[in-house]
């Protein structure tokens, strides 16, 4: 069988062949040579000069989803150098580069040594964040010499990583993991607790635990961006999964189907944080994603979400009405639920009967009757809504309008004296109206029930501690982004860019909402009745001085709240 088709052959060899960097014959020789020398394939390729060192680093960076770093551009302080002895670093084939908060960026040349990150964590009490570097540059750091000289000096592979793993079948690998977990030296219970605590401290929204063939990767979603925070030993993957399943009250023996659960995690003496847990069977084990559900976010209040003054007033006017429908739209993870609960918190008084149907309820609020829909038992959004209408409601919140039946019941409720709040997945406020029409809701029902639509995105906030004015931005570039010539030439415009410091994550700290708040005017109602499309409605919104998402994002840049890069990221068509 060709080495390229052999399932045991490392992906890097297959990629080098596919891109014409290596002939199939040389790839096969390299594969068998690594096994004979008992060396990881990356180390073998570079030491024997079989492939270009930069190509090897680049392919490893892509395959393992890690950043590629240039060691020549990094100044390593004496404080960092003193974190671990050089003898241990030689054994682990890693090198610490810099520290931000509790995160320690660590240079790795060969992914076979990623399993050793657990040793770094327990030696430094910091969370290692690996980056891929060129092999010879790492050897220069470790030995003060080149990669070839390091081989001559007798450097051997760490005991944690065996080159013969290249030819172990998946089921055999899992068996070895189960046998080796007790010898990993990692207290899994303590590790999981620390992982959850650290995520809360860093303001993480999601935790991803991902098993691959050779590595176990942990990533945090911070301010909407996924970042690698740890690479614990692969041999603890099964135990780690079991521990999380126990905490989430899931069936730890069931590994063939996805499962959903919830962890109630105590923080301090009187604060609890919930984690929504989902497991998914993958090729090399179960991937776990945990979403952090902090009820404190519901108490943020409308003032803290990032609305412009006019937008905030339009929203408050809409929720003060006794009936009608308010819709919030945007992609998953754009903060729609937080916006809805900020509104519900204002409305949540003893005089109001408030019920919500969600899938699932992410934020728990006393005084609100919250229902988790469950399609398996027939408790759908539509059936929950019907039940609400028999319970004398004042305010109803529907997690999402997904189908015509739910849309029709919501519209009927809004027309019969109830205030209805819900979400849809569309790109802008005007598109929400045409989406309802496409669902099959008659235009006259939409015009008479929908009072306001909020479209939103979340942009990362620039760190107040380290943001700096951007220099030498071409005038044409600013005009293309949406700024006008007058403000550019008057020097009243100051655009800031991220820097990065110990207080933030790559120059950003927290997120701010970017909104399009569109009240449905009498003119718009008439246009909806006459079958206007989303473009025509968007033009009318501009005539009524309603900022679209791009214009709102530009205002946040003008205020120094976010950067041009974030403006492009969250509002690019």
């Amino acid at each position: 069988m060709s080495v390229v088709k052999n399932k045991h052959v490392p992906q890097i060899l297959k990629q080098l062949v596919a891109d014409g960097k290596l002939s199939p014959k040389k790839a096969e020789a390299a594969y068998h040579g690594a096994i004979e020398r008992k060396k990881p394939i990356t180390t073998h390729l570079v030491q024997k000069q079989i492939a270009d060192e930069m190509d090897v680093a680049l392919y490893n960076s892509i395959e393992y989803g890690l950043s590629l770093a240039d060691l020549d551009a990094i100044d390593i302080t004496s404080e960092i150098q003193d974190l671990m002895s050089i003898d241990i670093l030689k054994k682990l084939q890693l090198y610490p580069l810099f520290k931000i908060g509790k995160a320690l960026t660590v240079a790795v040349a060969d992914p076979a040594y990623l399993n050793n990150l657990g040793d770094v964590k327990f030696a430094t009490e910091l969370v290692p964040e690996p980056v891929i570097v060129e092999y010879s540059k790492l050897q220069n750091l470790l030995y003060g010499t080149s990669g070839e000289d390091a081989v001559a000096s007798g450097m051997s592979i760490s005991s944690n990583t065996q080159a013969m793993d290249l030819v172990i079948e998946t089921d055999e690998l899992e068996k070895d993991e189960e046998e080796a977990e007790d010898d990993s030296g990692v207290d899994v219970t303590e590790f999981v607790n620390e992982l959850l605590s650290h995520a809360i401290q860093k303001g993480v929204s999601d935790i991803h635990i991902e098993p691959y063939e050779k590595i176990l990767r942990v990533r945090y979603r911070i301010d909407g961006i996924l970042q690698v925070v740890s690479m614990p030993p692969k041999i603890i993957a099964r135990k780690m999964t079991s521990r999380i399943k126990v905490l989430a009250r899931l069936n730890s023996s069931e590994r063939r189907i996805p499962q959903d659960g919830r962890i109630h995690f105590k923080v301090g003496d009187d604060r609890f944080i919930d984690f929504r847990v989902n497991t998914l069977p993958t090729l090399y084990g179960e991937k776990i994603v945990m979403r952090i559900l902090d009820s404190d976010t519901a108490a943020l209040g409308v003032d803290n979400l990032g609305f412009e003054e006019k937008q905030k007033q339009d929203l408050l006017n809409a929720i003060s009405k006794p009936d009608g429908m308010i819709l919030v739209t945007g992609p998953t993870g754009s903060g729609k639920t937080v916006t809805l609960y900020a509104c519900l918190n204002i409305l949540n008084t003893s005089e109001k009967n408030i019920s919500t149907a969600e899938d699932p309820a992410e934020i728990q609020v006393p005084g609100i009757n919250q229902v988790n829909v469950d399609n398996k038992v027939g408790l759908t959004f539509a059936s929950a809504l019907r039940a609400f209408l028999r319970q004398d409601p004042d305010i109803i919140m529907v997690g999402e309008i997904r189908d015509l039946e739910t849309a029709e019941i919501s519209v009927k409720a809004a027309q019969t004296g109830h205030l209805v709040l819900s979400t849809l997945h569309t790109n802008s406020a005007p598109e929400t109206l045409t989406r309802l029409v496409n669902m099959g809701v008659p235009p006259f029902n939409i015009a008479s029930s929908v009072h306001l639509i909020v479209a939103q995105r979340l942009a990362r906030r620039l760190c107040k501690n380290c943001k700096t004015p951007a220099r030498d931005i071409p005038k044409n570039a600013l005009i293309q982004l949406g700024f006008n010539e007058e403000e550019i030439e008057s020097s009243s415009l100051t655009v800031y860019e991220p820097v990065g410091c110990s207080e933030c994550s790559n120059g950003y700290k927290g997120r701010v909402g970017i909104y399009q708040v569109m009240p449905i005017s009498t003119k718009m109602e008439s246009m909806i009745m006459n079958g206007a499309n989303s473009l025509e409605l968007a033009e009318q919104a501009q005539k009524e001085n309603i900022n679209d998402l791009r214009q709102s994002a530009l205002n946040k840049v003008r205020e120094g709240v976010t950067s041009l890069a974030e403006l492009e990221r969250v509002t690019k068509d």
Side-chain angles (χ1 to χ4, degrees), residues 68-129:
L68 188 63
D70 182 4
L71 288 179
D72 291 339
I74 298 172
D75 292 325
I76 304 171
T77 64
S78 57
E79 177 192 2
I80 296 298
Q81 291 172 336
D82 293 340
L83 284 174
M84 298 177 71
S85 75
I86 191 64
D87 289 337
I88 292 175
L89 293 175
K90 287 177 182 177
K91 179 182 178 182
L92 301 179
Q93 285 295 293
L94 308 166
Y95 206 96
L97 301 178
F98 53 86
K99 179 169 75 77
I100 299 177
K102 287 289 185 180
L104 178 67
T105 299
V106 179
V108 185
D110 192 326
Y113 295 98
L114 286 170
N115 285 343
N116 296 340
L117 287 169
D119 294 336
V120 176
K121 182 180 187 304
F122 285 97
T124 63
E125 297 185 348
L126 299 171
V127 178
E129 296 183 350

Side-chain angles (χ1 to χ4, degrees), residues 9-26:
V9 171
Q11 184 62 32
I12 188 170
L13 283 178
K14 297 179 182 180
Q15 195 61 51
L16 285 166
V17 171
D19 290 352
K21 305 283 187 180
L22 209 60
S23 68
K25 186 175 180 180
K26 282 189 175 181

Side-chain angles (χ1 to χ4, degrees), residues 23 25 208 246 348 362 484 488 528 549 552:
S23 68
K25 186 175 180 180
H208 291 240
V246 169
N348 186 15
E362 296 188 357
N484 60 60
I488 297 170
I528 294 165
L549 288 167
S552 294

Side-chain angles (χ1 to χ4, degrees), residues 353 382-393 396 418:
N353 177 18
S383 61
L385 271 170
R386 288 194 187 94
F388 290 165
L389 293 174
R390 294 192 291 271
Q391 294 219 330
D392 185 31
I396 295 171
H418 308 94

Side-chain angles (χ1 to χ4, degrees), residues 100 124 132 149 155 166 192 235 265 356 420 432-433 497 547:
I100 299 177
T124 63
I132 295 293
D149 292 338
M155 183 189 72
L166 293 169
V192 170
I235 57 175
F265 192 76
T356 74
V420 179
T432 304
L433 296 168
E497 62 184 5
N547 284 342

Side-chain angles (χ1 to χ4, degrees), residues 293-310:
L293 311 174
D294 186 356
S295 296
D296 288 351
T297 58
L300 282 174
V302 172
D303 290 332
N304 297 316
L305 296 182
F307 287 99
E308 297 168 15
E309 191 56 39
K310 181 181 182 301

Side-chain angles (χ1 to χ4, degrees), residues 232-252:
K234 177 66 164 65
I235 57 175
I236 73 165
R238 185 71 64 82
K239 250 188 177 177
M240 194 172 172
T241 300
S242 297
R243 174 61 183 164
I244 292 170
K245 282 184 171 182
V246 169
L247 291 173
R249 295 176 174 82
L250 300 176
N251 184 352
S252 57

